[in-house]
Structure formats: structure tokens, C-alpha cells
Amino acid sequence: MEMSLARFVLLLGLAAPGPAPAGAAKMKVVEEPNTFGLNNPFLPQTSRLQPKRDPSPVSGPAHLFRLSGKCFGLVESTYKYEFCPFHNVTQHEQTFRWNAYSGILGIWHEWEINNNTFRGMWMRDGDSCQSRSRQSKVELTCGKSNRLSHVSEPSTCVYSLTFETPLVCHPHSLLVYPALPAALQQRWDQVEQDLADELITSQGYEKLLRAIFEDAGYLKTPEQSELAQQEGGTKGLVFETLESCSEAHKALSKEVKKLRSMLTQHGIPYVKPAETSSSENLGSKTPTARTAEHLQGDPGLRENTL
């Protein structure tokens, strides 16, 4: 009986709260979300993308309009590509690096028409790449399901995508003439008749057809394309007043300070750019091979990796 009572008292003493031993470590509960890996592939990245302009209106074969508002992804190597028909093409580096690349490879612009057939979708005015903008051509091919099947970069900052869909399996699914309004079909009929009567040359025939495609919204006029490039190049760079410019500078400085603090928090080194005089900035410098490589591919800092 005395032995049982002693055990009970011992267990009661162990369960009773009391001061922690001097050598015991305290546990710290962190309630703030972890900011490690700003480009975490499992987190949404589209919020950081800033398009230069709005996409062109939806156009082309009506049966393809159902693709508008949807996006289709493909992961190749360490990059995820997303094709959003009649909207844009984006690229996201799948890594936990703080400066992983995420950008726009093109915004819906116009169709490519060859032999009176829709051959591809051109996405232009993407993120800057050296002295031009990134652009992508999307080829539509027959497939059992809607999916982005292939992405390549045949030339610097010009991308080629293949999109499979059952919507183009019919041999007439990409013909231009059936997609036109009745009034433009009549214009096309007249152009064909004029060519048959030798009233116009083959060059004039092609010019008149292009005018029909432009009026239908399938192609952009040279003036429209130039205007889109001008809008894309100046958006966000012009301030109406000195006060608005100062406010933007303050906001940018605050953001830079925040990013530096996060780098320091995670032990990531960064190099402060050296200040140069205005005369040095005006001087032309030939980029080195390393700089050219840096501009062509991933614009992130190569040395600062996690």
C-alpha cells in the first residue's frame, strides 16, 4: 500500500507544472508566412507579370472561341510554359531561387494566314529582350485533346509552340473564307472574279485579300502594329507631373529596401551597383560575351543562387 502511494505521489509530481530547467531550450512559434523562395513553383506567379498592352480582340474561326479564357501548360526542363489562347504566352522557371525568371513571351496579336488558311497565332510584344520584344508563334495541329505539346526557341527570343486540339481536325476547320462575314465573302468573290477576268494582277490580288483579312480583324495593318509597339514601349515610363514621378521613385525605393532586407534575412549576398557619372552613362559600351548570354536567356543573377 505504501509502495503504491509513493508511485502515485511521484507521478503527480512529474505531471505538475513548474519552472523549466535552466538548460532547457525554449520553442519559438513563428506565425508569419515563410517568404523563402519568392518564385516557388507551387505559388501563383502571374501576379508579377506586367503586360505591355492588352491582347487583340478574339478573332478567327468561331469554333475556336471556346478556347478563350483557358490556359494550357507544359513543363520542359526547368521551365513551365503556359499558352492562353487569344491572351498570351508565359514562361516560369521552376526553381526556389529568389530571382527565378518569370515573364511574358508574347501577347495575342494576329493570325498568320498562308494559302487562305489560318496557319498560326502570333503572340507579340512580350517582355523586353535585348533591343526587341519576345514573341511566339503558336501552330495549331490535330490532337485527341487540348494540350500544349511542344515549345522551342528557334532563334533568340522568338519561340515556337505546338498546340494540339480536336477543334482543327476537320480539313476545313482552318479555312479563312467560311469564317468571314457575308459582306467580306462577297468582296472576296469579286476579287476572285477580277483575277479571273485579268482585271488585276496576282500582286494586286494578294493586296486586296490582305485588306479583307485586315478588315475582318485577322491581320493587323502596319499602322496598328506600329501603334501597338509604341504603346508597349512607353507604358509605365511616362509621368504627367514631377510629383507623380517622385511618388513612383519613393515607392520603388521602398520596394528595393524591402527586397534587400529579405536577402539579408535569408543570407543571400547581393552586390550594390557602382554609381557612374552622366558622362559615363552616355558612352557606348560593347557588351561582353557573358553579358550577351545573360540577356539572351534567364535574366536572373547567375551567381546568387540558393
Side-chain angles (χ1 to χ4, degrees):
M1 182 66 179
E2 293 180 357
M3 182 64 68
S4 300
L5 182 60
R7 289 180 179 177
F8 175 75
V9 172
L10 177 61
L11 293 175
L12 184 61
L14 292 175
K26 295 183 179 180
M27 178 180 295
K28 180 180 179 181
V29 178
V30 180
E31 297 181 354
E32 296 180 355
N34 187 2
T35 57
F36 174 78
L38 297 178
N39 291 276
N40 187 328
F42 303 104
L43 297 178
Q45 298 173 318
T46 55
S47 60
R48 296 195 308 276
L49 303 181
Q50 298 181 354
K52 296 179 179 179
R53 61 169 178 83
D54 295 329
S56 300
V58 177
S59 65
H63 59 277
L64 296 181
F65 293 179
R66 69 188 70 179
L67 297 175
S68 179
K70 300 179 181 179
C71 295
F72 306 89
L74 173 67
V75 176
E76 284 197 357
S77 184
T78 59
Y79 290 95
K80 179 181 180 181
Y81 299 88
E82 284 191 339
F83 167 53
C84 303
F86 305 106
H87 191 66
N88 63 19
V89 174
T90 57
Q91 179 188 37
H92 309 281
E93 186 178 6
Q94 302 296 281
T95 179
F96 286 93
R97 293 195 309 150
W98 71 271
N99 61 339
Y101 176 72
S102 182
I104 299 176
L105 304 186
I107 303 171
W108 164 236
H109 186 69
E110 64 180 352
W111 286 95
E112 178 177 295
I113 299 177
N114 291 325
N115 194 25
N116 303 330
T117 303
F118 294 104
R119 295 298 184 185
M121 305 178 70
W122 272 106
M123 308 285 185
R124 305 188 190 274
D125 303 319
D127 288 348
S128 298
C129 177
Q130 299 184 24
S131 60
R132 54 180 175 171
S133 298
R134 301 176 190 270
Q135 58 180 334
S136 303
K137 177 185 175 182
V138 183
E139 180 182 0
L140 306 180
T141 62
C142 176
K144 295 182 179 180
S145 62
N146 296 324
R147 73 184 190 98
L148 183 61
S149 60
H150 179 70
V151 178
S152 63
E153 187 178 2
S155 59
T156 304
C157 300
V158 178
Y159 304 84
S160 176
L161 291 78
T162 302
F163 180 71
E164 297 180 1
T165 174
L167 298 176
V168 300
C169 290
H170 192 279
H172 298 164
S173 60
L174 292 177
L175 292 180
V176 177
Y177 186 88
L180 289 170
L184 294 181
Q185 288 181 351
Q186 293 177 4
R187 280 178 55 185
W188 193 339
D189 294 340
Q190 185 60 50
V191 171
E192 294 287 350
Q193 186 62 48
D194 291 344
L195 180 64
D197 295 339
E198 298 184 352
L199 298 178
I200 57 175
T201 63
S202 57
Q203 184 177 0
Y205 170 81
E206 295 295 337
K207 185 177 181 180
L208 291 173
L209 275 190
R210 179 176 178 86
I212 293 176
F213 300 157
E214 290 174 353
D215 291 344
Y218 303 156
L219 300 179
K220 297 296 182 182
T221 64
E223 294 77 12
Q224 290 174 328
S225 297
E226 183 178 357
L227 179 61
Q229 291 179 357
Q230 291 177 354
E231 291 178 350
T234 59
K235 184 176 181 180
L237 299 179
V238 177
F239 300 96
E240 296 182 356
T241 63
L242 179 60
E243 182 179 357
S244 62
C245 179
S246 300
E247 291 296 329
H249 181 268
K250 291 180 181 179
L252 182 60
S253 299
K254 183 178 180 180
E255 183 68 17
V256 171
K257 184 177 180 180
K258 178 181 177 182
L259 292 175
R260 287 179 176 176
S261 176
M262 295 178 65
L263 292 177
T264 303
Q265 177 183 355
H266 297 296
I268 302 175
Y270 66 90
V271 179
K272 183 178 180 180
E275 296 182 357
T276 57
S277 62
S278 58
S279 59
E280 291 176 340
N281 289 332
L282 293 175
S284 59
K285 297 182 180 180
T286 303
T288 61
R290 181 176 180 83
T291 304
E293 179 186 1
H294 174 77
L295 292 173
Q296 175 178 350
D298 177 13
L301 302 178
R302 297 180 182 275
E303 290 80 10
N304 296 343
T305 58
L306 294 178

